[in-house]
Amino acid sequence: MVGGIIISSDFFDENSTIEDFNFLKFIFASESRLKLLFSLYESNKTIKELESEFNRKSGNISRGLNDLKSCKLITRLPNKEYAITSVGFLYAKNLENLMLKFENIENHEKFLEDHSIKSIPNRFLKDISSFSGSLVKSNITEFAKPINVYLDNIEKSTTICMILPVFSKIFMDSIYEALINHDGYLDLLTTKTIYDLIVKSDSENYFKALVRDKKINYHILEDLSNVFFTVSDTFASIFLFYDDSVFDNSEMILIEGESGINDAHKFYNAYKNYVLK
């Protein structure tokens, strides 16, 4: 089937056609085309500059340039420099992001393999697997390292958004403290079971007081993915489960930096809209 829909899945944002895959195959099938595209993505260059950069003969460079030109990814300027087109720039940018996501998946491969991810909807699983972050693990000398790193970051947070499928009094007490100290705000997605445990364990009634003061907004859901996900103004983190009932606090993906935190907020908002629809 040419040009017909070949994928219709919530793993993808939109339906993909065979042309999309043929185009990607065309770009990735040639190392020369890929390198030329990314080189011109950085700056305009003459064919002589490209020959020198890649240490290739002009014939090889010309073939690659003509291939990219035929796809309207690059153009030749009056001064004989080659430049990336607007379409080429968008493709190069998206290919760069795709390659970074593949690298992130590879970096977190062991973490994902060791945990259960089947409860996470496919459309969100791709984001969980491609977040750029560092793996924080327990070790012999720092058995509670992921927990301590998490608590240190929560302590500095003002606005917090959380997917909470597990209860920990240590975590909740730290969150209350951050909200009170920083005049902060918590947006919470959780289950009835976890909500009951939170209220029952809170002898000082911090939770109810913060809800009353509009410092906590919570949503109780019947079904929640087994991912303890937090994003604040200072960091984001991911804890997973070994299976449907065993939470693992010995490993955590820590996401820092403005770009990563922005992506984490987008993930949370998209997930929230999905589960509340």
Side-chain angles (χ1 to χ4, degrees), residues 104 107-108 130-136 236 252-256 260:
N104 291 333
N107 291 339
H108 300 143
S130 61
F131 274 119
S132 177
S134 56
L135 185 63
V136 182
M252 174 188 74
I253 292 179
L254 177 66
I255 302 160
E256 299 177 291

Side-chain angles (χ1 to χ4, degrees), residues 105-242:
I105 292 172
E106 184 177 356
N107 291 339
H108 300 143
E109 183 178 358
K110 185 70 166 58
F111 175 76
L112 295 169
E113 283 182 353
D114 289 345
H115 297 91
S116 175
I117 55 177
K118 62 184 180 182
S119 70
I120 304 171
N122 284 338
R123 63 189 299 175
F124 301 109
L125 181 58
K126 64 177 182 177
D127 294 319
I128 287 288
S129 62
S130 61
F131 274 119
S132 177
S134 56
L135 185 63
V136 182
K137 299 179 63 173
S138 298
N139 55 52
I140 295 175
T141 57
E142 296 179 278
F143 183 76
K145 184 175 181 179
I147 297 173
N148 291 333
V149 170
Y150 181 87
L151 296 178
D152 286 344
N153 279 281
I154 280 292
E155 184 182 324
K156 305 168 189 172
S157 299
T158 301
T159 59
I160 306 167
C161 300
M162 186 178 298
I163 302 170
L164 187 65
V166 64
F167 171 73
S168 166
K169 191 173 188 307
I170 294 174
F171 287 158
M172 292 309 302
D173 286 347
S174 180
I175 291 165
Y176 300 148
E177 185 176 352
L179 297 181
I180 294 168
N181 290 343
H182 303 300
D183 192 25
Y185 176 80
L186 169 67
D187 193 78
L188 177 67
L189 302 175
T190 193
T191 65
K192 180 66 164 57
T193 300
I194 302 303
Y195 171 82
D196 289 343
L197 289 171
I198 290 172
V199 174
K200 183 179 179 181
S201 69
D202 185 13
S203 57
E204 302 297 331
N205 293 319
Y206 286 125
F207 186 88
K208 290 182 178 179
L210 288 165
V211 170
R212 185 179 61 249
D213 293 341
K214 297 183 179 181
K215 299 300 181 183
I216 294 179
N217 178 48
Y218 67 91
H219 303 273
I220 296 178
L221 305 165
E222 290 185 10
D223 189 30
L224 198 65
S225 299
N226 279 345
V227 51
F228 175 24
F229 183 87
T230 304
V231 57
S232 78
D233 50 316
T234 61
F235 82 111
S237 65
I238 301 167
F239 287 91
L240 294 177
F241 286 62
Y242 285 123

Side-chain angles (χ1 to χ4, degrees), residues 17 22-23 32-34 44-45 69 130 191 196 253 270 275:
T17 65
N22 283 341
F23 187 80
S32 176
R33 284 194 291 263
L34 191 61
N44 299 348
K45 294 181 177 71
K69 195 167 179 287
S130 61
T191 65
D196 289 343
I253 292 179
V275 296

